[in-house]
Amino acid sequence: MPARRPGRVSTRGRLMAGLIAGTTDAVRPASREETMPVGLAALALGFIALWISSIHGYMLMYGDAVAHLGTARRIVDSRNPGLQQLGGVWLPLPHLLMTPFIGRMEWWQTGMAGAWPSLLCYILGVMGFYRLCRRMMTGRWSLIATGFYATNPNLLYLATTAMTEPLFLALLIWIVLLTLECIAALKAGAEKLVARRFVFLGILNLFAVMTRYDGWILAAAVWLVLAIQLARSGQFSRYTRSFATFTLLTVAGPLAWFWYNQHYFHDWLDFMRGPYSAVAIDRKTSPPGSQHYWGWHHPFKALVFYTRTAQVDAVWWELGFAAMVAAVAGLYRTLRDKVEMGSLLLWLPLPFYVYSVSYGSVPIFIPQLYPHAYYNSRYGMEMLPALALFGVFAVEWLQERFNLAQPLVARLMPPLAMGFIALNAIGMIHATPLVLKEAMVNSITRMAFERSLADQLVALPPAVPILMQESDHIGALQQAGIPLRRTINETDWDSWSAALADPAGKAAFVIAFTDGPVAKAVKDHPGGLTETMVLCTQGQTCARIYKSDKYGK
């Protein structure tokens, strides 16, 4: 009889280990009865986080959150409402999910319109993560891994904002989970289940593609994994129709986005090379002759920066190094024992962001590394599921090795792990989570400027048109509670072009930001305009408010 490889634990050995550790639950798919309490716990955590963010004013600290809300608001409230207001860079699904809530002025002003979808995605993501863990670990360790994921303060904060991370993490988790279920059904010959999984995965791939650009890589990888599995099974003819549906749904997202960019912006790659693309923003914000950010065209430096960001996002203090080592050990165990190999899809954000930092004009700054600043630190959150699942998977493996030789140590490991999770959450909250800290630091001057401008906008006569470029400071209109249809802005090209050619004749008031198109229009056509106010804040452009002397006459 061949010798068993050292370090492996047989099914019988795992059962014996479970008896020694005080639990007999096996590694198996989670039932609904198991999953629902996890969802209720996530609901409670989410509402606590929402209450804290609400009373402290955290929900609108991210400029991107304000901009996401503004994009959603334009769909229902603008001079030219409709899907054309989605814009050509940010993908549309997050804004479409906010649309049912954004029409209520109060929810737009407070940010609640973005919090509701994010909170729901957080709950669904936690439930899906537990189900995913349950396919690889026992119930006790699955709860520990889920606790590590669900109590992360950065994730809880993002779940109260209009940011896209909670939605994408939920999609990532459920796509990986359904991929594992589809592979298992293929091996079992469960034809109806495979067909359903193909359709569901196609829908989720479409959603992922329409949420973030890393979703494009995820969708392609999932399609490739399942195509290989289907080819190996020799059952392609049985699933031709469902696999074709899966394929069509997967490619529908990119094709629709190419069409949208071509139709509305006359360039099918406007999101990659247009005026609001990452390349254009990087070019605009980099002073002439300056060096590029750390990691530009240097994949190894980008790897160091991104993995360090993921560590700080996930774990308090310097314990992130231990979490990363544990996750890599769990990855090794997965590869060695070929345990649910589809779970490796959770690591896809790593190569995606290494490439994006190196060659995609996507800088990431954290205070732990040069230049010791805050920018895009939230991107590291996409590694949280991998760190939580594979890290705890490695710890469970370690417990299995201790079960027979050191049973006391083995019994102590679960409560020690739960204690670590509680300590980690408390420590991160005490030190201020990195993602929240970035929002605080980068919002100081912007929020002060928009608050001052909003105070002036509120004092203007109601119902009169205002000429203003919205893209940079829509937060001022949001705080002032001014309907966007009152403004003449760049999202309606016809009225915008006419107003720039005759500011005083087309608008009762004109808001011009330094070096912006409205400021240039005022300089070229100053007749009939009287300057009434100049607002300047350190770190922001100045705003000049003009009153028209001839509008309506």
Side-chain angles (χ1 to χ4, degrees):
M1 181 176 179
R4 189 178 293 126
R5 289 177 57 183
R8 284 183 182 252
V9 180
S10 66
T11 303
R12 184 176 179 181
R14 290 175 67 90
L15 180 57
M16 182 66 70
L19 290 171
I20 294 173
T23 177
T24 58
D25 69 336
V27 179
R28 57 173 176 75
S31 64
R32 291 183 180 180
E33 290 75 15
E34 285 181 82
T35 308
M36 287 307 298
V38 174
L40 291 175
L43 177 66
L45 283 173
F47 271 97
I48 291 171
L50 184 64
W51 174 68
I52 293 172
S53 283
S54 178
I55 62 174
H56 290 286
Y58 292 157
M59 288 190 285
L60 298 176
M61 281 190 169
Y62 258 111
D64 280 0
V66 174
H68 283 304
L69 288 161
T71 299
R73 180 75 185 187
R74 291 188 192 104
I75 297 172
V76 299
D77 173 25
S78 65
R79 286 176 172 257
N80 189 25
L83 295 181
Q84 65 271 18
Q85 298 295 343
L86 286 168
V89 176
W90 276 335
L91 289 157
L93 183 59
H95 310 116
L96 294 175
L97 293 179
M98 296 180 210
T99 304
F101 311 101
I102 200 69
R104 185 171 175 176
M105 179 64 73
E106 181 185 357
W107 283 359
W108 176 40
Q109 289 184 280
T110 61
M112 289 297 296
W116 294 127
S118 291
L119 190 61
L120 176 61
C121 290
Y122 163 76
I123 295 167
L124 292 175
V126 172
M127 295 172 70
F129 188 75
Y130 175 75
R131 293 176 67 90
L132 181 57
C133 291
R134 203 64 184 86
R135 297 188 69 88
M136 298 176 65
M137 291 179 277
T138 60
R140 174 180 294 178
W141 286 105
S142 295
L143 285 173
I144 290 171
T146 305
F148 181 60
Y149 175 83
T151 60
N152 181 272
N154 286 307
L155 178 59
L156 285 165
Y157 165 60
L158 289 170
T160 67
T161 71
M163 303 298 281
T164 62
E165 280 74 17
L167 170 59
F168 185 76
L169 285 172
L171 288 170
L172 171 64
I173 289 165
W174 278 94
I175 286 173
V176 174
L177 172 62
L178 293 185
T179 300
L180 297 183
E181 292 181 355
C182 189
I183 292 172
L186 271 171
K187 292 178 179 178
E191 189 171 346
K192 290 184 178 180
L193 181 58
V194 171
R196 288 199 299 269
R197 288 297 176 265
F198 273 138
V199 173
F200 290 156
L201 277 167
I203 294 170
L204 291 183
N205 273 355
L206 175 61
F207 288 171
V209 165
M210 287 299 188
T211 298
R212 293 178 68 95
Y213 291 104
D214 20 347
W216 295 39
I217 306 301
L218 174 63
V222 169
W223 184 91
L224 183 61
V225 167
L226 291 178
I228 292 172
Q229 289 291 328
L230 192 58
R232 286 178 176 176
S233 71
Q235 306 175 66
F236 190 85
S237 59
R238 296 176 61 186
Y239 303 109
T240 303
R241 183 177 298 179
S242 56
F243 186 76
T245 302
F246 166 63
T247 302
L248 288 173
L249 287 168
T250 299
V251 301
L255 292 178
W257 196 235
F258 292 150
W259 174 86
Y260 182 91
N261 277 257
Q262 178 64 40
H263 181 75
Y264 288 107
F265 306 105
H266 312 295
D267 181 2
W268 68 291
L269 291 178
D270 181 77
F271 62 93
M272 290 183 62
R273 59 193 181 195
Y276 298 104
S277 64
V279 174
I281 293 173
D282 180 49
R283 190 183 301 120
K284 178 182 177 181
T285 56
S286 299
S290 65
Q291 292 184 343
H292 268 96
Y293 56 83
W294 203 77
W296 171 257
H297 283 191
H298 202 304
F300 178 74
K301 288 183 179 179
L303 174 65
V304 171
F305 222 108
Y306 184 67
T307 53
R308 185 70 179 119
T309 302
Q311 292 171 22
V312 180
D313 280 345
V315 186
W316 171 56
W317 197 44
E318 302 303 330
L319 296 174
F321 291 105
M324 183 62 71
V325 169
V328 172
L331 175 62
Y332 166 75
R333 181 193 179 191
T334 302
L335 292 169
R336 192 201 68 176
D337 294 348
K338 294 182 172 55
V339 180
E340 299 288 8
M341 295 290 284
S343 63
L344 300 181
L345 291 166
L346 290 176
W347 289 87
L348 274 178
L350 180 60
F352 175 84
Y353 278 104
V354 169
Y355 175 83
S356 297
V357 172
S358 300
Y359 304 107
S361 300
V362 180
I364 297 176
F365 302 144
I366 58 174
Q368 287 80 6
L369 295 174
Y370 178 83
H372 310 292
Y374 295 87
Y375 191 63
N376 287 338
S377 64
R378 66 189 184 278
Y379 291 162
M381 290 299 298
E382 293 195 19
M383 285 297 296
L384 180 61
L387 293 178
L389 189 148
F390 289 93
V392 175
F393 191 49
V395 176
E396 185 193 37
W397 180 28
L398 188 62
Q399 186 199 33
E400 290 173 356
R401 298 176 68 90
F402 278 128
N403 269 330
L404 298 176
Q406 299 287 338
L408 178 60
V409 174
R411 284 196 295 270
L412 288 175
M413 288 180 70
L416 287 175
M418 290 186 284
F420 168 79
I421 290 169
L423 179 64
N424 179 60
I426 294 169
M428 290 181 72
I429 292 171
H430 177 73
T432 307
L434 176 62
V435 175
L436 174 58
K437 184 67 174 179
E438 177 190 327
M440 290 176 170
V441 170
N442 293 340
S443 68
I444 294 173
T445 58
R446 175 186 60 82
M447 293 188 75
F449 176 74
E450 290 179 354
R451 178 70 267 168
S452 297
L453 181 56
D455 290 340
Q456 299 302 317
L457 293 174
V458 169
L460 299 181
V464 296
I466 302 168
L467 173 60
M468 173 181 167
Q469 184 182 11
E470 287 184 0
S471 57
D472 291 332
H473 293 292
I474 194 171
L477 296 167
Q478 178 187 26
Q479 292 187 47
I482 293 178
L484 298 183
R485 57 183 174 271
R486 273 187 60 190
T487 67
I488 305 171
N489 60 74
E490 66 275 23
T491 64
D492 183 6
W493 181 252
D494 292 337
S495 60
W496 172 251
S497 299
L500 291 181
D502 181 17
K506 300 297 183 181
F509 291 88
V510 176
I511 315 296
F513 301 112
T514 304
D515 298 327
V518 178
K520 184 179 183 301
V522 171
K523 182 180 179 181
D524 294 342
H525 310 284
L529 293 174
T530 301
E531 185 178 286
T532 61
M533 178 71 66
V534 179
L535 295 173
C536 293
T537 301
Q538 185 178 5
Q540 298 290 324
T541 59
C542 292
R544 296 179 181 272
I545 303 176
Y546 299 89
K547 181 180 180 181
S548 172
D549 299 325
K550 67 176 187 178
Y551 175 77
K553 295 182 180 179

